[in-house]
Amino acid sequence: MTVLATVIVLGVLIFVHELGHFWAAKAVGIEVQRFSIGLGPRVFGFTRGETEYIISAIPLGGYVK
């Protein structure tokens, strides 16, 4: 249970952090090609507008491209 709680808390923290990068880029007119939570191979994703939203296999990071 502790491992699951840790993964969930880290996931929320990473999501909020990357969302800040996403909003900052959008606010100044920079195109965001990809918003990814997790690293490694893609598990789930979809495209909306110009941005591809992805959840990847390793939940220890994320990035905004």
Side-chain angles (χ1 to χ4, degrees):
M1 186 65 145
T2 303
V3 173
L4 180 61
T6 301
V7 169
I8 290 171
V9 169
L10 278 175
V12 170
L13 182 65
I14 292 165
F15 174 77
V16 170
H17 177 85
E18 295 305 326
L19 193 58
H21 292 293
F22 179 82
W23 284 340
K26 289 293 198 173
V28 296
I30 296 173
E31 176 185 352
V32 177
Q33 297 173 350
R34 180 176 289 170
F35 178 88
S36 178
I37 299 299
L39 304 170
R42 173 184 168 157
V43 174
F44 173 79
F46 63 93
T47 300
R48 183 173 176 197
E50 66 187 17
T51 306
E52 182 180 19
Y53 299 89
I54 295 176
I55 297 177
S56 296
I58 305 168
L60 297 176
Y63 63 93
V64 174
K65 178 180 176 186

